[in-house]
Amino acid sequence: MKFGIMAMQMEALLPPVSNAQEAMQHVASFSHAGLIRKLHSAGFSLIELGGDLGMWFPTAFSPTVIEELAQLKDELELAYTVHLPLWSVEPSTPLQAVRLGSVQALTDCIHATLPLQPACYVLHATGALAAEFYQMRLPPAGKGLILRQFQQNALQSIQELLQQTGLPPRKLAIETIEFPFDLTLEMAERLDLSVCLDTGHVLAGFSGALDVFTVLEQVLPHLGEVHLHDCPRPARPDQPSYGMDHQPLGSGDLDTARLLDRLSESGFDGPVIFELTVPQALSSLQVIRQLRPALLA
C-alpha cells in the first residue's frame, strides 16, 4: 500500500488575512503546483487532488496548471489520486436539472485531470440532500423507499459519468459517507465500481452502526482506496460522532495495527490517503512506523 495526503489543506488555502483585498491577492497568487511541491517537501509522494479547489481558485485545473502538475509528477516521481467535487454537487437528487449539472461538474473534473493519470477517482455518490433525509426520523418503510430513490438516482448519474468520460468503472471509488452502507455497497457491486473505505466515517457511524472490520471484509473485493483517519466510536449507536472524525491515528478507537495487517494480508497495494493536516499526517505516519515499520521501509 502507498501512503499519501490530501491536497485540501485549509490553512494553506485560506491563510489568515486582515481584509478582502488581501484575500483576493491570495486567490490571484495561488499556485497549485506550489502547494503540491510543499506537500512533497513534507514527505509525501502520493497526493490526492481536491476537485473542490476549483470552486475557489478558478484556474486550479486549467490546462496550463495541469501541465505544471504533470511536469511536477515526473520531476518528483509523484502519484496522484483525485477526490471529485462534493461541495454543491448532488448526483443523487430527484431534481433532474441539478443532477445533470452535478454530472457535468464531475465530468469536467475528470476530463481536466485525465492527463495526470490518477490512480483513482473518489466520488461521493450521494450528496447533502440524501444525508439530510438519512438523518430524519421517518417511518422505516417510507424512509427506506426514499433512500432507495436516492440510490437509483446516484446509479443513473454514475452510469452517465462513466459513459461521458470513458473511465473504467474500477477507476471510480465511491466513498463510505453519510448514507447506508448496504446501499453504497450495492452500487459498487451493480456497476463493478471500486469502494473508498473511509475509516473515520465508518467509526463515526455515518454509514450505520457498523464495525469497521466487518465493513472492510465486505468491501475488500472492491477496495480501491482507503481514507485513513481516526475517530471515537459514538456513545450511542443512533447518534453519530459528528465533528469527531479526521483525527490523527492513535487519538480515537481505530485498531490501526489490525487494519494494516488485514490490508497487507489481502494484498491491497492501492492508495491510503490521510485526510488530515500535514502535522496530523506526520504524527499518524509515526504511529505506523512504531506499529508496522516494514510498511514504511
Side-chain angles (χ1 to χ4, degrees), residues 86 89-93 124-132 150 177-179:
L86 63 97
V89 175
E90 291 280 359
S92 64
T93 178
H124 285 203
T126 55
L129 182 62
E132 184 176 342
F150 279 112
I177 55 173
E178 199 168 358
F179 194 71

Side-chain angles (χ1 to χ4, degrees), residues 148-167:
R148 282 282 178 186
Q149 185 59 58
F150 279 112
Q151 182 204 45
Q152 293 304 309
N153 293 336
L155 283 166
Q156 186 174 349
S157 291
I158 294 170
Q159 287 175 312
E160 293 171 1
L161 181 66
L162 294 173
Q163 183 177 3
Q164 291 183 29
T165 61
L167 199 68

Side-chain angles (χ1 to χ4, degrees), residues 210-225:
L210 302 167
D211 173 72
V212 67
F213 293 98
T214 301
V215 171
L216 174 60
E217 292 303 319
Q218 290 182 266
V219 302
L220 270 177
H222 287 266
L223 188 61
E225 180 170 319

Side-chain angles (χ1 to χ4, degrees), residues 245-287:
D245 54 334
H246 298 283
Q247 300 300 318
L249 298 181
S251 60
D253 290 318
L254 180 64
D255 188 339
T256 302
R258 182 182 172 190
L259 176 72
L260 296 173
D261 287 345
R262 187 65 188 101
L263 290 173
S264 296
E265 291 167 4
S266 72
F268 177 72
D269 64 351
V272 179
I273 301 295
F274 293 115
E275 284 199 315
L276 300 168
T277 65
V278 171
Q280 290 174 330
L282 292 174
S283 170
S284 298
L285 279 175
Q286 185 58 30
V287 170

